[in-house]
Amino acid sequence: MARDPICGMDVKEDKAISLRRDGLVYYFCSEYCKEKFLASSGGQKSAPSFGAGGYTCPMHPDVRRDRPGDCPKCGMRLEPVMPAGSGHEEDGDLRSLSVKFWTGLVCALPVLVLTLGNMIPAVAARSPAPYIVSSWIQLSFSTLVVVWAGGFLFARAWQSLVHKSPNMFTLVALGVGAAYGYSAAAVLRPQVFPQILKKAGQIDLYFEAAVVITLLVILGQLLEARARSRTGAAIRALLDLAAKSAHRVHDGVEEDVPAEAVGKGDILRVRPGEKVPFDGVVIEGRSAVDESMITGEPMAVQKKPGDRVVGATVNQTGTFLMRAEKIGSETVLAQIVRMVSDAQRSRAPIQGVADRISAYFVPSVAGVSLLTFIVWFFVGPEPRLAHALVNAIAVLIVACPCALGLATPMSIMVGVGRGAQAGILIKNAEAIEKAEKITHLLTDKTGTLTEGRPRVVTAIAAPGVDQNYFLTFVVSLEKNSEHPLARSIVDFADEQGVRPQGVEHFESVTGGGIRGRVGGVTVLVGKQKFIEASGVRILPAVAQQALEAEGRAQTVVWAAVDGQLAGILGIADPVKATTPGAVRQLHRMGLKVIMLTGDNRKTAEEIANQLGLDGFRAELEPKTKQGAVKEWKAKGAVVMVAGDGINDAPALAEADVGMAMGTGTDVAIESAAITLVKGDLNGIVKTLHLSKGVMRNVRQNLFFAFVYNILGVPIAAGALYPFFGLLLSPVIAGAAMSFSSVSVIGNALRLRRLKI
């Protein structure tokens, strides 16, 4: 046994973290103590802060530890605050629970078969030998289920008692322990039981109740662990966005280095199609960079010397040199990762509600069981001990939270399946619960309200010019252009059946447009000033039409052929056809719909007015989007955020309910609690209807569960005996418990027919 030099705890040498220094070996209970020791002895500049790392309890987020272990309040396994790597740790937990459940299920089958056989008179064994054989088989297999597979449930229950925080595990341990303990004693020591408890020399066994309850609870834990394991998926997806290497240029020599080797001030080369390694500034070259992960907008941004670039964005066209100014945790991507992680961890687990109920329910049940034993032992009829024991166990069995534990999970499981049929993918139960109470929908514009890709929505030929003639010259030039809007023009011409022609002397004019010769004539395509500077006369009628298009939030592209104005194209990101109707339905449901977008104010205002939204905010960054969500939540609003981009991830995670479009990025989908497969805003309306139906079903199930307990516990305690001579034996108590579970399951299955 060694002592940790930092915290003073006794540490077993075979389980300690060791460090050899100056000929001595030091033992530590955790990596944190080891790092703190190194810091205090000059090994490093400062001790690591695990305020942003370490481990926390999924049920009690206030619990933080610097190493893995169990929660001191509930005994649940702690999970990393900041997931990293490939998630092997979470996968290990899932595999462990899965093995316990399926192995336990196989072991439970012989117990259930033998129990059912004993309940059928024509099958039940009459001689002592079959009963003894059956009893020992049930004991053997039940021990594997209760002790091996369900042992961790008893450990958690013990932790809850040690730390004076009774919860659902406490109830499970009481019920399972009573049923299993009584039955095991009946098999191992039948001679100590009074004759009144025996029927034809046999004692009723309750192994089936113990194994069924254990397996149901393990199943619930498995489903919860599977949902929690996905919490870190968004973080891992974000981390995967970062560039893994960079082209560093030093004294004219270029070398490929790992991203970790890049320092502040290093000069980096970024080629077309590559990710920008870190945040910095362009010092040489020009290019278009896709910054949709930050702005959410599909149009690439032109970069020139002096412009800032952001790490993990994608360079599209040219090559440029940049100076790295922010690396590691200082980058915008790192800040987004941190915001998503913090927002996800700030959510209170739904299990906390059950814990608060259990804090009163568990002591009450235990107290009633003890009181039942005392009353029957002192004032009950003979044999008093037998009556006291049987009635006390009946109370524990009838109060075992089988139906209570199934009430929410069963409704959620069926509801999630019903949602999947309608294209609504729900990540956790908390999202369904909160969606019912939503008051404000804060939605992104691009890809959520709109189609998410620029399209030509206006095509106007100048007076006397045929539109196809005009489009032929425009698409011929644009097919050779690298400008972000060129693709939309080419697609539009293709839809119109217009085919491009060959181009000679193609030239791109930075900040203006493009020019070239098509069919022997000079063609100009670009901004109005570019056309005017080339000596082309702007017709007043066309200029007025261009102003009207710009007023509708369209980007206008001008074209001239052989020195004469040919026409204009208006390019915009059109509103989805289903969006107006969905917004009207959301308003009828009493929701406020507000748009949050990184686009310019003029475009945002036009979209908001067109859809009749309750408000909008424009030119937002990921941080300010998340801040807007916090602001509305601080006002008491229950907020749902809908989005599809990487830039929406912090807001989606911060919201009470995050809703991602299935057509969006993986990071947005992982950050959100709900994903709409079709990316259709009508899915939000369906989700809200689904939420209301599921939560109504949950409340019905909880009513069933509590009514059985409220009525069953007094009857099991013997409240009717003085008046009617009725007692609730453990067998009937077990049947009542099973019937309450069947009622809950049957009611939950009705959700399969829910109309949403």
Side-chain angles (χ1 to χ4, degrees):
M1 185 77 71
R3 186 177 294 275
D4 190 309
I6 296 298
C7 66
M9 290 182 61
D10 290 331
V11 185
K12 291 184 178 180
E13 294 181 7
D14 59 336
K15 295 183 178 180
I17 299 170
S18 62
L19 172 68
R20 181 177 294 275
R21 189 170 222 192
D22 299 328
L24 299 175
V25 178
Y26 299 89
Y27 295 95
F28 305 90
C29 66
S30 66
E31 282 289 346
Y32 176 70
C33 288
K34 176 183 174 182
E35 298 295 339
K36 198 167 184 181
F37 174 83
L38 287 172
S40 63
S41 59
Q44 62 182 44
K45 293 182 179 179
S46 61
S49 168
F50 59 87
Y55 295 80
T56 186
C57 174
M59 290 173 60
H60 301 93
D62 56 306
V63 174
R64 291 290 181 96
R65 293 290 184 271
D66 64 297
R67 56 175 174 165
D70 295 329
C71 174
K73 291 186 177 180
C74 64
M76 288 194 70
R77 184 174 178 81
L78 301 180
E79 58 187 30
V81 172
M82 180 68 75
S86 59
H88 291 314
E89 189 172 341
E90 292 94 332
D91 293 342
D93 291 340
L94 284 173
R95 283 194 297 270
S96 175
L97 284 170
S98 182
V99 169
K100 289 179 183 295
F101 173 75
W102 292 109
T103 304
L105 183 61
V106 171
C107 293
L109 291 177
V111 178
L112 297 178
V113 169
L114 290 172
T115 301
L116 291 174
N118 289 332
M119 291 181 178
I120 303 174
V123 180
R126 297 298 181 182
S127 63
Y131 170 79
I132 293 175
V133 173
S134 171
S135 300
W136 279 97
I137 292 176
Q138 291 185 58
L139 173 61
S140 301
F141 283 103
S142 298
T143 301
L144 288 173
V145 176
V146 175
V147 178
W148 176 76
F152 71 99
L153 302 176
F154 289 90
R156 293 175 181 179
W158 175 252
Q159 287 288 332
S160 70
L161 295 176
V162 170
H163 294 280
K164 300 178 181 178
S165 56
N167 50 47
M168 295 302 293
F169 295 117
T170 319
L171 277 178
V172 169
L174 282 174
V176 173
Y180 175 80
Y182 176 87
S183 303
V187 175
L188 297 173
R189 293 285 184 179
Q191 64 273 17
V192 303
F193 284 73
Q195 193 62 36
I196 192 173
L197 295 179
K198 300 177 181 179
K199 298 177 181 178
Q202 301 177 0
I203 305 173
D204 288 324
L205 305 177
Y206 310 107
F207 286 121
E208 80 286 351
V211 298
V212 168
I213 295 170
T214 300
L215 287 175
L216 287 173
V217 175
I218 293 175
L219 176 61
Q221 292 301 298
L222 176 61
L223 296 176
E224 290 177 13
R226 184 167 295 162
R228 287 198 310 273
S229 70
R230 297 190 62 190
T231 303
I235 306 298
R236 291 190 288 272
L238 281 169
L239 293 173
D240 287 341
L241 291 174
K244 304 300 187 292
S245 62
H247 310 299
R248 184 167 60 190
V249 179
H250 182 66
D251 293 335
V253 178
E254 181 178 321
E255 61 174 339
D256 291 343
V257 297
E260 296 81 7
V262 175
K264 286 186 179 180
D266 284 355
I267 305 302
L268 309 175
R269 187 183 301 278
V270 185
R271 296 190 175 92
E274 295 180 342
K275 291 181 179 180
V276 177
F278 296 102
D279 298 4
V281 61
V282 177
I283 60 174
E284 182 183 313
R286 296 174 182 272
S287 183
V289 178
D290 179 1
E291 294 188 337
S292 58
M293 65 160 282
I294 301 299
T295 64
E297 300 306 312
M299 299 182 190
V301 180
Q302 297 294 326
K303 297 293 182 181
K304 61 183 184 301
D307 290 344
R308 294 194 171 277
V309 288
V310 179
T313 55
V314 181
N315 182 29
Q316 288 192 336
T317 56
T319 298
F320 62 87
L321 292 178
M322 62 167 288
R323 181 174 59 251
E325 295 188 341
K326 293 182 179 180
I327 62 176
S329 61
E330 299 175 344
T331 64
V332 171
L333 177 63
Q335 293 174 15
I336 294 176
V337 170
R338 186 160 52 250
M339 285 187 290
V340 172
S341 178
D342 291 345
Q344 286 181 330
R345 291 297 172 188
S346 66
R347 294 173 179 159
I350 193 172
Q351 185 63 40
V353 177
D355 280 349
R356 286 192 292 273
I357 296 174
S358 300
Y360 298 97
F361 189 60
V362 175
S364 300
V365 171
V368 170
S369 178
L370 179 61
L371 182 62
T372 299
F373 183 88
I374 294 173
V375 171
W376 280 94
F377 183 78
F378 285 103
V379 300
E382 294 292 344
R384 294 179 179 178
L385 176 60
H387 282 91
L389 185 61
V390 169
N391 290 330
I393 291 177
V395 169
L396 288 175
I397 291 178
V398 80
C400 191
C402 189
L404 184 61
L406 281 173
T408 299
M410 278 303 302
S411 296
I412 296 299
M413 287 172 61
V414 180
V416 167
R418 179 66 185 91
Q421 292 176 344
I424 304 166
L425 305 182
I426 301 165
K427 186 182 295 185
N428 54 54
E430 186 179 9
I432 297 181
E433 182 185 27
K434 288 187 175 181
E436 181 193 32
K437 305 170 185 176
I438 294 299
T439 60
H440 288 65
L441 171 64
L442 309 184
T443 176
D444 179 43
K445 177 181 75 68
T446 305
T448 304
L449 298 176
T450 65
E451 293 183 1
R453 56 187 177 90
R455 290 177 52 195
V456 175
V457 294
T458 301
I460 302 173
V465 178
D466 179 74
Q467 181 167 303
N468 282 351
Y469 170 85
F470 150 58
L471 282 176
T472 299
F473 288 106
V474 174
V475 72
S476 297
L477 243 62
E478 291 290 1
K479 193 171 182 65
N480 294 274
S481 174
E482 296 176 337
H483 193 278
L485 296 181
R487 183 74 256 168
S488 61
I489 296 175
V490 173
D491 290 342
F492 177 73
D494 187 59
E495 292 172 2
Q496 301 298 313
V498 176
R499 297 291 178 263
Q501 298 181 11
V503 178
E504 297 176 336
H505 308 300
F506 179 85
E507 180 186 358
S508 177
V509 180
T510 302
I514 54 178
R515 64 163 58 95
R517 292 185 65 79
V518 179
V521 299
T522 300
V523 180
L524 305 174
V525 179
K527 297 180 180 179
Q528 180 179 349
K529 290 182 179 179
F530 172 67
I531 301 295
E532 288 178 319
S534 301
V536 178
R537 177 173 168 265
I538 302 298
L539 301 178
V542 178
Q544 180 60 37
Q545 290 172 316
L547 286 174
E548 292 174 357
E550 289 176 344
R552 296 192 295 271
Q554 298 176 21
T555 299
V556 177
V557 176
W558 296 72
V561 178
D562 203 18
Q564 301 295 319
L565 184 66
I568 60 172
L569 296 174
I571 301 175
D573 183 11
V575 171
K576 291 180 180 178
T578 56
T579 298
V583 171
R584 288 193 295 270
Q585 290 191 63
L586 291 168
H587 279 151
R588 284 196 293 268
M589 297 176 74
L591 270 69
K592 299 288 185 182
V593 184
I594 295 115
M595 179 173 63
L596 306 180
T597 178
D599 207 347
N600 65 76
R601 181 176 180 83
K602 186 175 182 180
T603 301
E605 185 174 11
E606 171 65 23
I607 297 294
N609 292 335
Q610 180 182 341
L611 294 175
L613 304 182
D614 298 291
F616 72 92
R617 292 190 184 181
E619 300 174 359
L620 299 180
E621 297 178 354
K623 186 174 182 179
T624 47
K625 275 192 177 185
Q626 185 188 28
V629 177
K630 289 182 178 179
E631 179 183 328
W632 262 290
K633 288 173 67 176
K635 294 177 182 178
V638 183
V639 178
M640 173 182 284
V641 170
D644 72 333
I646 295 172
N647 65 308
D648 300 316
L652 287 168
E654 182 67 45
D656 293 295
V657 178
M659 179 80 70
M661 302 295 113
T663 52
T665 64
D666 290 342
V667 174
I669 292 171
E670 293 294 352
S671 299
I674 301 174
T675 299
L676 302 180
V677 174
K678 296 180 181 179
D680 188 338
L681 207 64
N682 278 325
I684 295 180
V685 178
K686 295 179 180 179
T687 301
L688 296 177
H689 285 307
L690 176 66
S691 172
K692 293 180 187 297
V694 170
M695 293 314 299
R696 181 169 57 248
N697 192 271
V698 167
R699 284 189 283 270
Q700 292 168 351
N701 282 348
L702 289 173
F703 173 79
F704 286 136
F706 278 115
V707 163
Y708 279 115
N709 278 300
I710 291 172
L711 295 179
V713 169
I715 295 174
L720 299 180
Y721 184 80
F723 308 100
F724 306 103
L726 294 177
L727 286 176
L728 188 65
S729 73
V731 174
I732 303 300
M737 181 198 68
S738 300
F739 183 70
S740 67
S741 300
V742 171
S743 300
V744 166
I745 294 171
N747 186 56
L749 291 176
R750 294 193 305 113
L751 287 171
R752 293 185 298 183
R753 299 186 297 274
L754 179 67
K755 294 182 179 181
I756 58 175

